Amino acid sequence: MRTALTEAVRAARSGDVPVGAVVLDGAGTVIAAAHNERELTGDPTAHAEVLAIRRAAERLSGWRLTDCTLVVTLEPCTMCAGAITQSRVGRVVYGARDEKAGAVGSLWDVVRDRRLNHRPEVIEGVLADECAAALTTFFRDR
């Protein structure tokens, strides 16, 4: 999560909402890292999670991330939850809950929907206060 927090700082520097994500392989090695780049690139899909998943798939030369863990500073939205499900990420670890747009337990629970064929393990609240503080500071300063 500390690496994801470092990525979040990079997002804020470019004017993006400070969300960072990393993907770990089955051995716990970071194979991809990303941060929000919507403002930087003008791409509405450039969320940290989507970018990290894309980079991990490229690194592994395949789209199935079954043995991987996605670590992200903010609870994923519906778009990112869909990407998590479609890429078959095995575990999702997130910091701060997102009561307004969270799709991994707060507002919706897309990744654990029994109608879908893949449901990753979810661990929430890791360094939640630090993750939330980065977001609070960013929006207060704006």
Side-chain angles (χ1 to χ4, degrees):
M1 187 61 78
R2 296 245 179 252
T3 304
L5 279 163
T6 298
E7 287 291 324
V9 169
R10 291 183 179 129
R13 286 185 192 140
S14 65
D16 276 285
V17 175
V19 177
V22 296
V23 177
L24 311 173
D25 67 12
T29 302
V30 174
I31 59 169
H35 55 272
N36 277 355
E37 295 183 7
R38 290 188 315 166
E39 298 297 331
L40 182 67
T41 64
D43 178 356
T45 68
H47 287 205
E49 301 94 310
V50 170
L51 296 173
I53 287 169
R54 287 177 184 162
R55 291 171 186 163
E58 184 177 336
R59 173 99 182 259
L60 296 176
S61 299
W63 62 270
R64 287 180 185 88
L65 305 180
T66 309
D67 294 329
C68 294
T69 298
L70 172 69
V71 180
V72 60
T73 57
L74 179 65
E75 179 182 357
C77 69
T78 53
M79 177 182 68
C80 295
I84 290 163
T85 301
Q86 291 300 315
S87 63
R88 310 296 195 268
V89 168
R91 179 181 302 116
V92 177
V93 177
Y94 71 88
R97 289 176 60 91
D98 185 349
E99 300 294 338
K100 293 181 181 179
V104 184
S106 292
L107 191 55
W108 297 285
D109 202 350
V110 172
V111 300
R112 290 180 281 207
D113 189 318
R114 292 204 153 305
R115 295 170 291 184
L116 299 175
N117 66 341
H118 177 74
R119 290 179 295 281
E121 175 186 1
V122 175
I123 299 169
E124 66 176 86
V126 175
L127 298 179
D129 292 340
E130 288 181 51
C131 293
L135 291 157
T136 301
T137 299
F138 176 81
F139 286 112
R140 184 184 61 230
D141 292 348
R142 291 185 74 95

